[in-house]
Amino acid sequence: MNQEKRMEFEKRIGYSFKDPELLVTALTHSSYSNEIRLKKQECNERLEFLGEAVLELISSEQIFRNHPDQPEGDLTRIRASYVCEPTLALCAREICLGDYLQLGRGEDRTGGRERDSILSDAMEATIGAVYMDGGFESAQRYVEEFILKDIEKKSLFYDSKTYLQEIVQRDLKKLEYVLLKEEGPDHNKSFEVGVLIDGKQLTTAVGRTKKKAEQAAAYEAILLLEDKK
């Protein structure tokens, strides 16, 4: 990763690394390190392991403080929706994290920059990198700004289709998902799906699978319906 690209990402997240190599490692996928024969520890998997633990602690503390009357089981379910793969991938997309990843050519060619699993792992790796570089307070600021901010809305993405169904049924209306477009080769397809309520198209979204496109379109529909309220 060149210095200009690294500094661009630092500016995006509002944090300047004292040890830039930590950020480079956090943004290096194993497909890239394998391709150019780096050492195993030079990809982001170790930082992902650390970042996952840091994220769990920070999110657990916030949930514990914000839900003083909830039992342990409810707190666990809330945390699961906060730190699940789809929610973290959504957070990663908001800071355009995929644009800065170092991927192997094959992974890049097949849509790796938009893959939820890669984005969520890299998001956790950047948390680990910030923690190693600046300590717990820096990591906490990073998590609060780019993950926990507006988390209630973001976590809707975790189960957006179910939540939208509940909203629509409450108003005695009919919900449909319609495939509008399918593009690309088998290994890198793109699907555009529309949400229809009582036959009227409300939102559309694109995803690597029909399920992901439906989920994204449902999420956008929820935000639109709640704004109208």
Side-chain angles (χ1 to χ4, degrees):
M1 171 180 286
N2 62 45
Q3 184 180 11
E4 183 180 350
K5 196 80 170 173
R6 176 178 55 76
M7 291 177 69
E8 183 182 306
F9 183 75
E10 289 180 326
K11 185 176 180 181
R12 185 175 288 277
I13 65 172
Y15 181 82
S16 182
F17 280 80
K18 297 185 283 292
D19 181 1
E21 284 305 308
L22 280 167
L23 176 59
V24 173
T25 302
L27 298 175
T28 300
H29 188 253
S30 58
S31 62
Y32 180 85
S33 62
N34 291 337
E35 189 172 280
I36 66 170
R37 300 183 184 279
L38 294 175
K39 294 177 181 177
K40 181 66 175 174
Q41 60 267 32
E42 291 183 82
C43 73
N44 64 8
E45 290 174 355
R46 283 168 50 84
L47 283 171
E48 174 205 336
F49 163 80
L50 178 61
E52 181 181 5
V54 174
L55 172 60
E56 189 166 299
L57 175 59
I58 294 169
S59 60
S60 296
E61 181 184 351
Q62 185 182 100
I63 293 164
F64 183 83
R65 292 183 185 279
N66 291 348
H67 301 272
D69 300 322
Q70 299 277 28
E72 182 268 344
D74 288 349
L75 300 181
T76 300
R77 282 189 288 275
I78 293 168
R79 186 178 63 197
S81 70
Y82 282 14
V83 301
C84 67
E85 184 179 286
T87 303
L88 290 178
L90 180 66
C91 296
R93 290 187 180 96
E94 289 187 339
I95 58 173
C96 302
L97 183 58
D99 294 347
Y100 300 92
L101 294 177
Q102 296 192 120
L103 298 177
R105 283 170 293 187
E107 194 67 66
D108 199 2
R109 212 165 34 238
T110 56
R113 293 184 190 280
E114 279 298 312
R115 192 163 293 129
D116 280 7
S117 58
I118 290 177
L119 289 172
S120 63
D121 289 350
M123 193 74 201
E124 289 176 335
T126 61
I127 296 168
V130 172
Y131 173 79
M132 287 298 293
D133 190 74
F136 184 78
E137 287 187 8
S138 295
Q140 188 171 26
R141 284 194 296 271
Y142 180 67
V143 168
E144 288 176 349
E145 176 65 23
F146 298 109
I147 296 176
L148 297 181
K149 190 175 182 179
D150 294 328
I151 191 63
E152 285 79 11
K153 280 190 174 181
K154 290 173 183 173
S155 62
L156 282 175
F157 196 80
Y158 179 62
D159 203 12
S160 53
K161 290 180 68 177
T162 300
Y163 189 71
L164 179 60
Q165 183 70 44
E166 291 172 357
I167 293 174
V168 173
Q169 284 181 339
R170 191 168 60 224
D171 295 332
L172 301 177
K173 293 182 177 180
K174 182 182 178 184
L175 171 65
E176 296 176 89
Y177 295 91
V178 178
L179 179 62
L180 301 174
K181 193 186 298 181
E182 181 178 333
E183 294 181 322
D186 287 343
H187 67 273
N188 191 22
K189 277 194 176 296
S190 171
F191 299 87
E192 183 178 2
V193 167
V195 166
L196 276 63
I197 296 179
D198 280 352
K200 183 179 179 182
Q201 186 170 300
L202 187 64
T203 58
T204 64
V206 176
R208 294 293 176 186
T209 67
K210 282 187 278 189
K211 182 179 179 181
K212 290 185 185 298
E214 288 174 356
Q215 186 180 42
Y219 176 74
E220 294 300 328
I222 291 167
L223 298 185
L224 188 61
L225 291 171
E226 289 193 339
D227 282 346
K228 284 182 178 179
K229 287 180 182 179

